[in-house]
Every structure is written in structure tokens, then in C-alpha cells.
Amino acid sequence: MIIDVNPFMIDKLGFPHNEFIGKNIWELGFFRDIGINKAKFHELQEKGYVRYEDLPLKTANGREMSVEFVSNVYLVGQKKVIQCNIRDITERKQAEEERIRLETVIEQASECVVITDVKGTIQYVNPAFEKITGYSIEEAIGQNPRMLKSGKHEEIFYKNMWDTLLSGNKWNGRFINKKKDGQLYTEEASISPIIDKTGAITNFAAVKRDVTNELLTEQRQRETQKMEAIGTLAGGIAHDFNNILSAIIGYTELSMDEVPEGSQLHSDLTKIFKAGYRARDLVNQILTFSRQREQEKRPILIDPIIKETLKMLRASLPSTIEIRQSIEPEPGTVRADATQIHQVIMNLCTNAGQAMSQKGGILEVILTSKELDSGFCIQHPGLVPGRYLKLMVSDTGHGIPQDILPRIFEPYFTTRDKSGGTGLGLAMVHGIVTDCGGAVTVYSEPGKGTTFKVYLPVIMEEPADEAEKTAIVIKGHEHILFIDDEKDIGDVGKRILEQLGYTVTVMTSSIDALEFFQKDPYRFDLVITDMTMPFMTGDELSEEFMRIRQDIPIIVCTGYSEKLTEETALSIGIRAYMGKPLLKSEMAETVRRVLDERNEGI
């Protein structure tokens, strides 16, 4: 039975004095845990002492509080008296709960948390440190964060950091650090000095985040934007350059028809024509590189591509690099795109040249044919037994470290500095070769050089030399409206078509051509129009023509167009789509085919 209570109980709990006096303690509703456990008082009577570390109470106004409850039994005269001491620990408990929550957050955080003393000795790291660095918590405690140094920062970098921290200020920045396994990573860090009540620095706390993948993603985005910019530039180059080539190739073909075959002049003109044709392939290569055009695979010989590429490389490589080549005569035909094969050779040889740029060396290119058996093909998934061309490109340069050798075909992976390359070259090589049904292998030793081997399956088809084609004269008599804003292209088109027997009217303005056509739409049997023209594009002009005369056959020519593809051209009723520069044979075949299809439909 309660005899008396001090003012603490009355003030803290908010109950009047008479609520306590004369009652057993377990009868008081605010002592909930004691109320349901009378056994504690039997224990108190037997042992003379009972303690509650954390006893929940509820005040008169309903507020929850926590107390430390201690009861002792005293002998006063012949009577046993129980004294209950109660201490309010609500704030202490809340602080402890907050500490536990904070500790849980730190322990489970994905960010790395490191606490050191004023000398930099590590006193605490959270589990994320172990996950990111590879060092266990036990290995880290007692060490200095310099255990992670990569050697990528100058000493002045660390001096500036420590000057900032020791002056009592927070430091923010990025480290390039080294994991336990030697792998480099980049982390974004915020380091703060911990200052006590006297103003003295007692510790340093660092919160660090591994941003390696984020930076790689940013780099890829920049490279993608760069590729898009190159693509935009490539489209403009392709359009203008193909217009120029149209005139060069067209006038050359016309001139070849005027001079006797076998003469020196005819031979010279043939060389100009072949050079123009190679220039056309170069434009296609630019568009392929910028991912704006898919290349069509066809039977080709790669030995002349190798020889031509090495001639080009000789001018760009330093004289300290010797080029050796061994090309097997008539090694075989492969199904591939000549432009992409050129890219493969250029990338492999350029990498080899980079590896020997400082000390010089030997660049060796060997092309042979080889039968691959099932054992070899099992080791290189994707290959099937049979005859292959084996292209070997080797150098005597610095070699590739074994730890990064497995990664060299990854997109954007590069060992060069920011100005040395994008890391796309070998990934492109691997993609092109694999797409052709082949494989590429690499062997390298640091200090001894690197050897790449490319295997391409041989096919039985004979290659077609497009540049050797002569104009197939398929004559006609119809009237053609030829529209191109480039005067020279209009002149070339007119002369070629007139040689083939057609009557040709040339217009250099799309607006004028539309007005001319409206006056007498049945005067023409066919319209050939350029795509990119001022005021009205070729597809818009074609739709206007077809509104006036639904059955008029139209051919669209373009040096390059993002807007109109062959599929979209055909879908709107255009009968054929030709890319510039045009060969006489291509124009003759396409014009005759479109006119014959129209006649069959009549």
C-alpha cells in the first residue's frame, strides 16, 4: 500500500496526491507492466530488490513516457517499507532509438561511410565499404585511406584536400581509387571534420559513392551525341558529294563513249570512272559509320581491299613503322560489304600503329586460306567447319596487359587517353566479323606485341566488279521530264537518256516543273525528279504530279535523304528510287523497267 509520493510523481504523471495514497502499486493503471505481474512484488519481498530498465507509463493527459523503476525493501523498526525510485528516461530512450535508426541506415546504406581519427586512421567503415573496395571491415580498421590510392592523383590534390579539412571546412570531390583486386574505380566523396564543443577536430567522416558506372553512362551518352552529330554532318556531305560525283561519273561515261576503246584517253577515262566509283563507296562508308545506312553483303574479294588500305595507311603511319604484307593469290570469295571490310582492316592496322607510335616496329598483314576443323570451331562458337580466309594483323608494339585482354571488344572500352579514341574500333571489328559469320581472336604479350586473326567463311560465288560494268543500251522512245536543281546533273541526265533514244525535257526548278506539267500532263511518259530541292521536295512534287495525273510513273533520285527511303517512296506511289551518283547502266535499266511496267498495266 502506498504511504506517500514525492512531487516528481505528481508533476510528471499529472495525477493528484490522493490518487496514490492507500492503493497498491499494481492497482494504478499507469503502471501497466507491474499491474499484470504481481509476481515481481513477491520477488521483491524475497530478494529485497526489483529493477525495471524501461517501464512504460502513461500520464494523466495520455502522454507516453518511459521510466527506470527501482524498488528496495527497508526495515523501519519492525516494519518492512518498500521505496520505489522512478527516473524519467524518455529523452534518453528517444536518443538511443534515433542512434539505432541512424546506425541501421549507415549499416544498410549503399554509400560507403568511413570515419577516421584526426591522423586519418580508420576507426569505422560500413558494409558498403567492403562491397565497393573488396577490403573486409577487419582489414580496413586501423589502416589509412591511402590504402586505396591509385596513383592517378598528384600530391597537390591530396594536400589541397587536407588543407580544406584541417581548416574546419567540408571537402567535396572525386577520387580515382584502387580496389583490393587492383581494379580502378571513381568515387564521389563528401568529407566533413567532426568538431567538439571546444572547437577542436576529433574525427573526419566521409560519405563516398561509386560513380564509375554513371560516368561510363555519361561517356556513352556523349559518344552517342557525337555519333548523331557525325551522322547529321555525314548526311549533308553525302548529299552534296554525291551530286558532285554524279557530274564526274556522268560526264566520264559520256566521254568514254566518244573515244575509241584501247586508246590512252579511254584508259585514262576508265581510271577516272573507277576512282569516282570508289568515291561513291567512300560516301557509303561514311553513312555506315554514322549508322545511317545498312550495307548489303555481296560476294567480294578482300585481297584488293587490303592492298588499297595499306597504301592509304603508309602515308599516315610514321616512317619508323615498317609495313609487311603477304597476300595469297586468289584466296577466295567472301560474302561481306567491302566498306565494312575496309573498316575492319583500317581499325586493326590503326591500333597496331598506335601501339608502335613511340618506338616504331613492324606491322605485318597476312592473308591466307585455311580449312577449319570441328575442334577449332568448338573453341570458337559461331564457326562451322569449312574453308575460311584467315587475315592476320600483327605488330611488335607494347602489347595488351592480360587483365584487360578479355575486355578489348567491349563497346567504349579503350586504354587510350580522351584524345586517343572512342573505344568503338575493336567493338565494330567484332560486330562486322561476327555478322559475316566469322570470328576474331587476339593474342598479346606485354612488350612483345599483339596479333589479331580474323576468320571469314569462303563462298563459291564469283564476285561482281560493279565498276567494270558497261552501260547496257536498252533504248526507248518515250518523253521524259527530268527535274534537278543542279544544272550539270540535269545536263548529264539529258545526254545519257538521249543516247538511249528518249526525248528529254529538263527543268531545274520544282515550282516551274509543276506549272509546266499542269499545262500538258499527258505530254510526258515518265518523270525523274531529284529529292532535295528548294521550295518543294521530290516526294511533295511527286504527290502533286499524281494528283494531276494518277497514272504518271515517277522515279525519285537522291544523293542522301533522311526523309524519304525506298520503302516510303514506293508506299506513296513512286515507282522507283535510285541513289546518286547514277551509272548509265543503272539509269537505263531502271527507266526501261518502270516504263515497261506501266505499259503492261495499260
Side-chain angles (χ1 to χ4, degrees):
M1 185 178 292
I2 298 173
I3 300 173
D4 196 13
V5 294
N6 67 351
F8 171 86
M9 290 290 290
I10 297 171
D11 293 341
K12 282 288 183 182
L13 298 179
F15 292 97
H17 187 270
N18 59 10
E19 286 281 333
F20 295 94
I21 305 305
K23 294 182 179 179
N24 290 315
I25 194 167
W26 57 79
E27 293 180 285
L28 301 176
F30 44 81
F31 286 114
R32 288 173 299 178
D33 283 12
I34 295 176
I36 63 173
N37 195 357
K38 296 180 183 179
K40 280 285 185 182
F41 277 90
H42 295 299
E43 181 184 336
L44 174 64
Q45 290 173 349
E46 292 175 5
K47 297 182 179 179
Y49 175 83
V50 167
R51 179 184 181 89
Y52 284 87
E53 296 285 346
D54 181 7
L55 183 66
L57 298 184
K58 182 176 284 188
T59 64
N61 62 7
R63 183 176 66 88
E64 296 281 351
M65 64 182 293
S66 297
V67 298
E68 182 183 72
F69 184 93
V70 179
S71 291
N72 294 282
V73 178
Y74 297 98
L75 189 63
V76 178
Q78 297 299 316
K79 288 185 176 182
K80 288 183 178 181
V81 179
I82 299 174
Q83 178 179 330
C84 298
N85 298 310
I86 299 174
R87 178 183 298 166
D88 185 357
I89 62 169
T90 304
E91 291 184 2
R92 189 182 77 187
K93 182 182 177 183
Q94 290 173 346
E96 177 66 15
E97 289 174 348
E98 185 175 342
R99 184 193 66 79
I100 292 172
R101 282 196 298 270
L102 180 61
E103 186 176 286
T104 302
V105 169
I106 292 174
E107 289 288 308
Q108 296 181 7
S110 58
E111 288 81 7
C112 173
V113 178
V114 180
I115 299 175
T116 73
D117 63 16
V118 290
K119 294 181 179 179
T121 302
I122 297 174
Q123 296 180 325
Y124 169 83
V125 295
N126 67 340
F129 177 91
E130 186 172 11
K131 182 178 179 181
I132 293 171
T133 68
Y135 288 100
S136 68
I137 294 174
E138 293 75 17
E139 289 174 314
I141 301 299
Q143 298 296 319
N144 190 287
R146 71 173 64 96
M147 66 191 288
L148 302 174
K149 283 181 70 172
S150 63
K152 296 294 183 180
H153 299 290
E154 302 289 340
E155 287 304 315
I156 189 66
F157 172 85
Y158 297 103
K159 182 181 183 303
N160 290 338
M161 179 191 72
W162 280 111
D163 287 346
T164 300
L165 293 172
L166 293 174
S167 65
N169 295 310
K170 180 189 290 187
W171 182 89
N172 295 297
R174 284 178 178 171
F175 293 104
I176 299 175
N177 279 342
K178 184 188 291 186
K179 299 183 181 183
K180 185 177 180 179
D181 63 4
Q183 184 180 345
L184 298 181
Y185 69 103
T186 302
E187 59 181 6
E188 200 166 65
S190 178
I191 307 176
S192 303
I194 308 300
I195 301 173
D196 64 14
K197 294 180 180 179
T198 68
I201 296 174
T202 60
N203 298 89
F204 296 104
V207 179
K208 302 188 290 182
R209 186 167 63 93
D210 186 349
V211 295
T212 307
N213 289 334
E214 290 180 22
L215 295 177
L216 182 59
T217 300
E218 290 176 7
Q219 179 188 350
R220 289 175 177 173
Q221 288 175 342
R222 286 194 297 271
E223 296 299 340
T224 299
Q225 292 168 354
K226 191 185 299 183
M227 294 292 287
E228 289 174 354
I230 292 173
T232 302
L233 178 62
I237 292 173
H239 177 266
D240 293 342
F241 195 50
N242 278 332
N243 276 339
I244 296 169
L245 286 175
S246 291
I248 293 173
I249 292 176
Y251 282 123
T252 301
E253 281 199 288
L254 289 170
S255 300
M256 289 169 65
D257 291 338
E258 300 295 326
V259 297
E261 288 191 29
S263 66
Q264 183 61 51
L265 182 55
H266 191 280
S267 175
D268 293 343
L269 290 170
T270 302
K271 290 176 182 177
I272 294 172
F273 175 74
K274 287 185 176 181
Y277 198 89
R278 285 198 297 269
R280 184 176 81 161
D281 283 345
L282 179 60
V283 176
N284 288 337
Q285 179 180 343
I286 295 171
L287 292 174
T288 301
F289 177 74
S290 62
R291 302 179 187 274
Q292 296 197 37
R293 177 171 294 177
E294 293 295 327
Q295 294 298 85
E296 182 182 353
K297 299 182 186 69
R298 60 179 184 268
I300 61 168
L301 298 173
I302 71 169
D303 42 311
I305 301 175
I306 296 173
K307 293 174 183 177
E308 184 175 343
T309 304
L310 292 180
K311 287 179 184 178
M312 294 171 57
L313 279 168
R314 179 65 282 173
S316 61
L317 294 177
S319 58
T320 54
I321 296 177
E322 178 187 350
I323 298 178
R324 297 178 182 174
Q325 60 176 296
S326 176
I327 311 295
E328 180 180 305
E330 299 182 1
T333 304
V334 299
R335 184 174 296 281
D337 173 69
T339 315
Q340 291 184 334
I341 295 299
H342 175 80
Q343 286 178 321
V344 168
I345 301 163
M346 280 292 291
N347 274 302
L348 293 179
C349 292
T350 300
N351 279 354
Q354 287 281 345
M356 300 183 290
S357 59
Q358 294 183 351
K359 297 181 180 179
I362 299 171
L363 167 61
E364 189 169 23
V365 179
I366 301 174
L367 179 67
T368 58
S369 58
K370 183 177 178 64
E371 285 287 334
L372 299 184
D373 57 23
S374 57
F376 184 90
C377 295
I378 290 172
Q379 296 175 8
H380 301 84
L383 298 185
V384 295
R387 189 177 170 217
Y388 284 75
L389 290 191
K390 175 183 172 185
L391 171 65
M392 187 171 72
V393 178
S394 61
D395 65 70
T396 57
H398 50 63
I400 304 172
Q402 296 300 306
D403 58 332
I404 67 172
L405 199 59
R407 300 185 59 201
I408 61 172
F409 294 115
E410 294 178 10
Y412 300 100
F413 179 79
T414 178
T415 57
R416 306 181 199 171
D417 59 26
K418 292 181 180 179
S419 64
T422 64
L424 291 169
L426 290 178
M428 185 181 293
V429 167
H430 185 271
I432 291 172
V433 172
T434 303
D435 189 49
C436 291
V440 55
T441 66
V442 58
Y443 176 80
S444 185
E445 287 186 43
K448 294 185 178 180
T450 303
T451 298
F452 285 91
K453 295 178 182 178
V454 173
Y455 297 91
L456 295 170
V458 172
I459 63 173
M460 300 309 295
E461 297 178 56
E462 290 296 319
D465 188 350
E466 297 290 334
E468 291 290 348
K469 284 184 179 179
T470 58
I472 302 172
V473 180
I474 308 176
K475 291 184 179 271
H477 60 277
E478 290 88 347
H479 193 170
I480 298 173
L481 176 59
F482 193 99
I483 310 160
D484 198 299
D485 60 313
E486 293 281 344
K487 187 176 181 301
D488 285 342
I489 297 176
D491 181 51
V492 167
K494 177 181 173 68
R495 290 175 59 183
I496 289 176
L497 290 169
E498 286 180 341
Q499 278 190 358
L500 297 172
Y502 299 102
T503 301
V504 183
T505 299
V506 176
M507 305 291 292
T508 56
S509 165
S510 54
I511 300 298
D512 292 344
L514 180 58
E515 292 178 357
F516 192 75
F517 184 82
Q518 284 176 322
K519 292 177 181 178
D520 189 2
Y522 288 92
R523 177 180 180 180
F524 302 103
D525 301 292
L526 173 70
V527 174
I528 300 176
T529 178
D530 185 27
M531 174 60 192
T532 306
M533 296 182 293
F535 307 114
M536 186 177 289
T537 58
D539 58 330
E540 294 170 341
L541 182 61
S542 298
E543 289 179 336
E544 291 298 322
F545 283 154
M546 288 185 286
R547 284 193 186 98
I548 298 169
R549 180 183 158 191
Q550 189 176 3
D551 67 334
I552 184 69
I554 301 173
I555 299 172
V556 169
C557 303
T558 180
Y560 169 74
S561 173
E562 283 185 330
K563 181 181 177 183
L564 187 70
T565 64
E566 184 171 5
E567 290 74 19
T568 55
L570 296 176
S571 69
I572 64 175
I574 293 169
R575 303 297 177 85
Y577 179 95
M578 291 194 294
K580 293 179 181 178
L582 300 173
L583 298 181
K584 183 178 180 180
S585 57
E586 291 176 346
M587 187 182 295
E589 187 277 329
T590 303
V591 167
R592 192 66 259 159
R593 174 174 56 80
V594 169
L595 287 169
D596 288 345
E597 288 173 355
R598 183 206 63 166
N599 293 333
E600 289 172 3
I602 295 175

